[in-house]
Amino acid sequence: MADKDFLSRVKSFVKYQPLMVLHHFFLPMVYGPALLHFRHGKGDYIIGCAITMQATIPFISLRHILLQVEMRHTTLYIVNGLLLAVSFSIARIYIWFHLVHTYAVYRDLPFIDGFLALPTICSCCTIGFFILNSIWFVKILLLVKRSSKEILNLLKLSKSS
C-alpha cells in the first residue's frame, strides 16, 4: 500500500513539475553529449569535468522529490543526504583543485604557479565557482546534520514510548 502511495506521489510530482524533471534528468542526458559532439574534440577535458559536476543532480533531485512527497523523515532521505554530501565534495569541490593541478602539470608548474598562470577570466571563474560551491556544500552539510538529528530524535521517541 505504501509503495502505491509513493508511486502516485512521484507521478504527481512529475506531472506538476515537468520543468524540474526536464532540467534535472533529461538535460544532462542530452545537453552534455550534444555539447561534446559539436565541439569536435576541442576542450573535451574541461567539458568532461563540467559534466562530472552534474553527478550531484540525481541526489539533489531525489532530495527535492522526497521533500515534495513528504518523506523528509525517512532513512532514504538521510542516506540520500549523505550521498549528496559525498558526491558534492568530489564533483563540485575537489574537481576545482583537480582542474588546476592538471593544468599545472600540463604547464610543468607547481600547483600555485599553475593557478597564477591561468588566464585572468579563468582564475576569476574558478574562484567564483569554488566559493559558490563551497557555500552550497556548507548548506548541504548543515542539512544532513539537521536531518540526522531529527531522525535520531524520532528514533529515541519511538523507543521510549
Side-chain angles (χ1 to χ4, degrees):
M1 182 69 174
D3 288 339
K4 190 173 187 178
D5 187 43
F6 172 75
L7 288 176
S8 65
R9 288 195 256 173
V10 170
K11 286 178 185 176
S12 175
F13 176 80
V14 171
K15 180 179 177 183
Y16 293 107
Q17 300 284 337
L19 292 178
M20 182 68 71
V21 173
L22 178 69
H23 173 76
H24 285 109
F25 184 74
F26 293 108
L27 194 60
M29 300 296 192
V30 175
Y31 179 71
L35 189 60
L36 284 172
H37 173 74
F38 292 115
R39 292 187 56 80
H40 303 291
K42 294 180 181 171
D44 284 351
Y45 180 75
I46 301 296
I47 298 299
C49 287
I51 291 170
T52 299
M53 290 179 195
Q54 303 308 309
T56 59
I57 286 178
F59 305 107
I60 293 168
S61 299
L62 181 57
R63 180 183 176 279
H64 186 72
I65 290 168
L66 292 172
L67 286 171
Q68 293 294 314
V69 296
E70 299 171 6
M71 293 182 67
R72 181 173 166 211
H73 298 292
T74 63
T75 305
L76 177 59
Y77 185 83
I78 297 294
V79 169
N80 182 67
L82 292 171
L83 291 172
L84 172 59
V86 169
S87 68
F88 204 94
S89 70
I90 294 167
R92 300 270 180 123
I93 302 295
Y94 166 76
I95 199 152
W96 295 106
F97 295 100
H98 177 71
L99 280 165
V100 172
H101 170 74
T102 302
Y103 182 71
V105 168
Y106 171 76
R107 298 276 314 267
D108 197 27
L109 297 168
F111 180 83
I112 292 297
D113 292 340
F115 178 77
L116 295 173
L118 286 169
T120 304
I121 188 72
C122 293
S123 297
C124 292
C125 288
T126 299
I127 291 169
F129 282 121
F130 181 76
I131 290 170
L132 180 65
N133 284 314
S134 295
I135 291 167
W136 277 106
F137 185 58
V138 169
K139 288 181 179 191
I140 288 167
L141 291 177
L142 291 173
L143 284 170
V144 169
K145 180 181 175 185
R146 185 182 71 205
S147 298
S148 298
K149 280 184 178 180
E150 288 175 4
I151 292 291
L152 288 174
N153 287 336
L154 287 173
L155 290 173
K156 287 178 186 176
L157 288 174
S158 68
K159 282 184 180 180
S160 65
S161 38

